[in-house]
Amino acid sequence: MSSKSVAIFGGAFDPVHRDHVRLARLCLDLKLCDELWFVPSPDRWDKKLFASPADRLAMLDLVVGDDPRIRVSEMELNMGDYRGSYVSMSLFREKFPGVNFRLLVGADSYLGIPHWRDPLHFFGTEFNGAQLLKEFELIVFERRGSPKPDMAGHLAKGYAQMFWVGREQNFDGKYASSEIRKELFFGSGKKPEGLDEKVFDYIRNNNLYRL
């Protein structure tokens, strides 16, 4: 029997914002996991990254603080190539046997999961998303404009358990890293609402997100 459950929160975190942190703490408070691990990704084929891995790690460390329930993992960064969620989750399971790993994803991503694949094996129909859904439990969080997943239909397909975090749990995320970057690139120099003060100070002190 698993000794603990860990939610894996992957993403670019370019930069990390208040909704990321609020969602992480909410999942913990709702007892959906015993620990939550932020897992920043390396350079990706599908997304341009602006801040370096070192800077994104530093910003994450600032918002995590000394909360023992939250940690920042460099596992994907150390892999070098971005391999996708199934490969990463499988590596976590292999490295930490006995831990029940759950993947935290947005409702906007949920419907596309069956078409996820390893970017290093991007041929034909080598999808591994369905395998991910069968082997790993999900925590799906609300994204504006995206429907709540069909929980019963999900289980009927033989997929693992799924949990929901949305307005019912007082979460309706309103911030996006892309919008915050636009404010930093083109704004007046004021702190974007979605940024923690410590993260904003780090961005200014290290001249990040400048044109």
Side-chain angles (χ1 to χ4, degrees), residues 124-143:
T125 56
E126 294 183 5
F127 303 110
N128 57 24
Q131 199 62 33
L132 183 149
L133 292 169
K134 291 175 182 177
E135 296 182 19
F136 296 97
E137 296 174 335
L138 298 183
I139 303 172
V140 182
F141 60 91
E142 184 162 342
R143 292 297 297 265

Side-chain angles (χ1 to χ4, degrees), residues 107-118:
D108 55 333
S109 298
Y110 170 76
L111 290 177
I113 292 177
H115 301 287
W116 287 3
R117 46 188 162 181
D118 181 347

